[in-house]
Amino acid sequence: MPYMMISLGGVTAGTAVILVFLVRWWFAEGHRWSALVPFVLSFLYGMLAALAALGSWSVLGAVTWVSLWSANVGGWIALVWGVGGTDHNITRAPQLALTSGGYAIVLLLTALLFALWKWAAKVPNWKLAAGAFSGVAVALSGNVAGVAAVPLGSAANLAGAWFTAVFE
C-alpha cells in the first residue's frame, strides 16, 4: 500500500462534511447533544483508523487509503475547478506507534462500528460514514495529527494494555 498524503483539498473536503453535519444538527436535529454522538464517535474512529492503519497492507489500511484518496480528489476538484484556488500537501505524520494491544482495540472498534452500521436501526448509517470519512480526511493534517495522535494513540494503547492483561 503506497504512503498517502493529505492535501489541503482533502482536509477541506473533510472539514466541509463536519460543517454540513453541524448545520444539519443545529437546524434539523434541534441541536440535541445525543444526535452528535454517532457522528463524533465515528469521527474519532476515522482519525484513529487513519493514524493507525493508513499505509499498511491491511483491509483497514485499504479502506482508509480509498477514503483519503477520495477526499483528496474531491477536495482538489472543488478547490481548483470549483473556486479557482490551488492545492498542496499538508501531511504531518503517516502513522501512530501502537502496541499490539492498541491494534487489538482498533480491531474491536472496527467490529463495533460495523455492528452499529448493520444492526443499530436508530443510528443513521450516513452519520457513521460521514463521521469516519471526515475523521480520515483531517487526521493527517499538520495541527490535527499533532493534537489528536497523542491522546488517541495513548488511549488505544492503554485500553489495549488492559485488554491484553485480561487474556495473558
Side-chain angles (χ1 to χ4, degrees):
M1 183 90 20
Y3 172 69
M4 191 70 174
M5 295 180 272
I6 187 67
S7 69
L8 180 60
V11 170
T12 302
T15 304
V17 170
I18 295 168
L19 293 175
V20 168
F21 177 79
L22 287 175
V23 168
R24 184 185 193 288
W25 170 73
W26 188 265
F27 292 107
E29 296 178 339
H31 47 277
R32 289 175 295 120
W33 291 106
S34 61
L36 278 177
V37 172
F39 182 85
V40 170
L41 291 179
S42 63
F43 175 80
L44 293 173
Y45 169 79
M47 290 180 71
L48 181 62
L51 290 166
L54 189 65
S56 69
W57 289 95
S58 64
V59 173
L60 185 58
V63 170
T64 56
W65 186 89
V66 168
S67 296
L68 189 58
W69 176 83
S70 62
N72 281 339
V73 170
W76 178 83
I77 290 169
L79 279 178
V80 174
W81 293 99
V83 297
T86 59
D87 196 11
H88 60 278
N89 176 22
I90 57 173
T91 305
R92 178 179 174 113
Q95 249 181 318
L96 280 176
L98 290 182
T99 62
S100 56
Y103 279 107
I105 296 302
V106 171
L107 177 60
L108 293 174
L109 291 174
T110 303
L112 179 62
L113 187 68
F114 176 78
L116 286 171
W117 181 280
K118 184 83 173 142
W119 296 295
K122 293 190 181 219
V123 177
N125 288 346
W126 68 267
K127 282 187 182 181
L128 298 174
F133 173 81
S134 60
V136 168
V138 302
L140 301 179
S141 65
N143 289 332
V144 174
V147 171
V150 172
L152 285 174
S154 298
N157 285 336
L158 181 61
W162 291 337
F163 179 76
T164 54
V166 169
F167 295 104
E168 287 184 335

